[in-house]
Amino acid sequence: MTLTGEGNTRQSVAVVGAGAVGGVFASALHRAGHDVSLCVRTPFDELVIETSGGTEHVPVTVVTDPADVRPVDWVLLAVKAFDTAGTARWLAALCDEHTTVVVLRNGVEQTDDVQALVPKTTVLPALVYIQAERLAPGHIRHGYGNSLDVPAGPAADRLTRLFQGSGTDIRPQQDLLTAAWRKLMLNAAVNPLTALTLRRMEVMGDRMIRDLAEGLMRETQVVAEAVGARLTGADVLQTLAFMEEFSDGNGTSMLYDRLSGNSLEWEALNGAVVRYADLYGIDVPLNRAMTALLHALAPLHAAPTAEEPAGTQLAAA
């Protein structure tokens, strides 16, 4: 038995996806004394995490081929919802009946598609609360926050032990449904509004944008109640207050994805609000408008078509 510095058994961990979230938690688990591999498409030499306290160089193993891995104790799945199907080969190689997969992603539909890929494996949904930005492959800036909300139970207890000594706060929730919709209430406002305006959180200082954010949250809260989440108008006001605590220079994952030319996870955010609203016959015009706008966005740096003069894309953005 190998023990970490905190007295826990040393575990094997694979992090699938080396974006901001994957990088931060890979670093945390290395700090806790575990054997950590990063499963990626784009190779890099080392994992570098920038924080206000300095720069950390993390000696994790970087793997680019599922043929080079074998089952591990834990998999942290840190990809967007629309990339889940593309991780099938990784999950098949990394998982057996003894593995636990922790799904680190936004939205309220976290585990069904993952469980279908690994039917004999324990799958644990997790709500991520960090502010981090991927600057380049393997290079992450971690601003603040370092916690995960997970459903209370034996898997949460094991995850707490796994992260002991890492600086990460594991917060078991008796009602993850409510916790997930509370987070979606924030994400359905700040993610699209920063991505569409191409501005960081300082844009929320604009009264019209702040009012629009509140409208998006109120629509989401009504849908959440219909689904069974225990959210009220008071939660909207608390979420607005939480939003206003963010630094003006903070961005959102959707803004970072748009600036990088990546696909946007609108289907898991505003798209989810619209889908559930349709099920319950609830009118959500603001979320429907955000969904349509995000769906229609062209890549920020796309080349102009033959009929389109150079510069039109950038001006339109």
Side-chain angles (χ1 to χ4, degrees):
M1 177 184 295
T2 303
L3 301 179
T4 70
E6 296 292 329
N8 290 326
T9 304
R10 190 181 185 95
Q11 302 275 288
S12 56
V13 183
V15 180
V16 180
V21 169
V24 166
F25 289 112
S27 170
L29 288 170
H30 170 76
R31 194 179 310 121
H34 301 295
D35 296 318
V36 182
S37 298
L38 269 172
C39 303
V40 302
R41 288 177 296 195
T42 304
F44 49 85
D45 293 332
E46 64 174 346
L47 177 62
V48 179
I49 309 291
E50 289 185 18
T51 68
S52 59
T55 300
E56 180 183 9
H57 296 263
V58 188
V60 298
T61 301
V62 177
V63 188
T64 58
D65 189 341
D68 295 333
V69 300
R70 59 184 180 179
V72 294
D73 298 311
W74 294 86
V75 173
L76 270 58
L77 188 62
V79 300
K80 299 290 179 18
F82 50 74
D83 279 332
T84 299
T87 67
R89 289 183 62 223
W90 284 112
L91 292 175
L94 290 166
C95 297
D96 61 19
E97 65 273 19
H98 305 295
T99 305
T100 299
V101 177
V102 184
V103 183
L104 308 173
R105 73 183 187 204
N106 284 324
V108 293
E109 303 160 318
Q110 291 181 293
T111 58
D112 287 353
D113 55 344
V114 178
Q115 190 71 76
L117 295 175
V118 284
K120 296 182 179 180
T121 298
T122 299
V123 176
L124 185 69
L127 307 178
V128 178
Y129 286 91
I130 65 169
Q131 194 283 319
E133 179 179 2
R134 178 181 181 270
L135 304 177
H139 191 176
I140 311 298
R141 179 187 294 132
H142 182 193
Y144 61 86
N146 212 349
S147 61
L148 293 173
D149 286 0
V150 295
D157 296 340
R158 292 190 293 109
L159 188 70
T160 299
R161 292 193 294 271
L162 180 75
F163 273 95
Q164 188 175 353
S166 71
T168 302
D169 185 16
I170 305 300
R171 305 184 300 199
Q173 303 290 319
Q174 296 297 331
D175 183 1
L176 194 74
L177 175 71
T178 296
W181 278 93
R182 180 179 290 111
K183 185 181 179 189
L184 180 60
M185 195 161 58
L186 174 67
N187 279 338
V190 299
N191 272 275
L193 292 175
T194 53
L196 288 167
T197 61
L198 292 176
R199 292 169 63 179
R200 293 180 180 245
M201 288 300 294
E202 50 81 22
V203 74
M204 297 301 166
D206 183 305
R207 172 54 59 179
M208 294 177 69
I209 295 296
R210 194 259 187 207
D211 289 347
L212 181 52
E214 180 176 353
L216 289 161
M217 290 181 191
R218 291 196 180 279
E219 288 184 357
T220 304
Q221 180 265 318
V222 172
V223 176
E225 270 194 291
V227 171
R230 296 183 294 111
L231 296 176
T232 68
D235 292 286
V236 173
L237 297 179
Q238 291 173 4
T239 302
L240 282 168
F242 178 61
M243 178 189 77
E244 290 166 358
E245 294 177 2
F246 293 172
S247 168
D248 286 351
N250 289 157
T252 65
S253 60
M254 192 176 284
L255 171 63
Y256 300 146
D257 282 338
R258 189 172 183 214
L259 292 173
S260 299
N262 297 330
S263 298
L264 306 183
E265 58 176 343
W266 57 269
E267 289 181 284
L269 301 182
N270 304 86
V273 176
V274 171
R275 286 194 300 278
Y276 282 99
D278 287 345
L279 285 175
Y280 290 93
I282 299 169
D283 193 21
V284 288
L286 297 179
N287 276 279
R288 197 174 297 279
M290 291 296 109
T291 299
L293 289 169
L294 294 167
H295 168 72
L297 278 180
L300 188 59
H301 304 298
T305 64
E307 296 80 19
E308 187 175 27
T312 301
Q313 292 275 357
L314 186 57

